[in-house]
């Protein structure tokens, strides 16, 4: 089975930066499409960003476009979410997800594997 281990969450001031990491094991990383999702208290888990199997295509939620960047390093079996210019509304538990598919999805239900989540808290 695929295992995802996340790190990098924490407390950050509004306007600051944070980088989340997700290390993947159990499958050939280059054959997995990846996604980041987040869930704020009392809200549904929502799409943040995706990165395709080949790493050639990315997508972002409108709320984070221009501020967050998803990337992958196949040599390290790791996907990253670089968060710049964070806002209080970015406060949430962030989840890394994977699916053995050429194309990623923005839909939570399409992902087969999930990390444990890492808390990001943005102070105002």
């Amino acid at each position: 089975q695929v295992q995802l281990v996340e790190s990098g969450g924490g407390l950050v001031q509004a306007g600051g930066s944070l980088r989340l990491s997700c290390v993947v094991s159990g499958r050939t990383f280059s054959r997995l499409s990846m996604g980041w999702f987040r869930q704020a208290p009392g809200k549904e888990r929502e799409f943040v960003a995706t990165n395709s199997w080949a790493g050639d295509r990315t997508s972002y939620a409108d709320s984070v476009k221009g501020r967050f960047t998803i990337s992958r390093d196949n040599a390290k079996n790791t996907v990253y979410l670089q968060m710049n210019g964070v806002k209080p509304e970015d406060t949430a538990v962030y989840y890394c997800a994977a699916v053995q598919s050429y194309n990623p999805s923005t839909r939570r239900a399409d992902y087969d594997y999930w990390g444990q989540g890492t808390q990001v808290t943005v102070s105002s």
Side-chain angles (χ1 to χ4, degrees):
Q1 60 182 345
V2 174
Q3 183 177 2
L4 312 180
V5 180
E6 299 161 320
S7 63
L11 177 65
V12 62
Q13 292 183 329
S17 297
L18 205 64
R19 189 179 74 163
L20 307 183
S21 299
C22 175
V23 179
V24 182
S25 63
R27 294 283 182 87
T28 301
F29 184 63
S30 62
R31 300 298 183 183
L32 294 170
S33 288
M34 306 297 300
W36 284 98
F37 293 76
R38 67 186 183 186
Q39 187 167 19
K43 293 188 175 182
E44 294 294 312
R45 194 171 301 182
E46 65 178 4
F47 153 71
V48 175
T50 63
N51 183 263
S52 67
W53 180 327
D56 58 343
R57 288 172 287 113
T58 59
S59 63
Y60 298 93
D62 289 342
S63 59
V64 306
K65 189 173 296 184
R67 299 188 297 118
F68 292 6
T69 302
I70 186 171
S71 62
R72 64 195 295 155
D73 186 338
N74 288 348
K76 297 180 179 180
N77 291 345
T78 301
V79 62
Y80 303 96
L81 185 69
Q82 179 66 45
M83 306 168 61
N84 296 330
V86 296
K87 304 175 181 179
E89 52 263 43
D90 294 323
T91 295
V93 177
Y94 283 72
Y95 297 90
C96 177
V99 60
Q100 192 175 8
S101 175
Y102 184 79
N103 294 310
S105 173
T106 61
R107 295 159 51 198
R108 175 185 177 184
D110 287 338
Y111 287 84
D112 298 316
Y113 308 101
W114 293 85
Q116 77 285 355
T118 184
Q119 177 71 48
V120 173
T121 302
V122 181
S123 62
S124 60

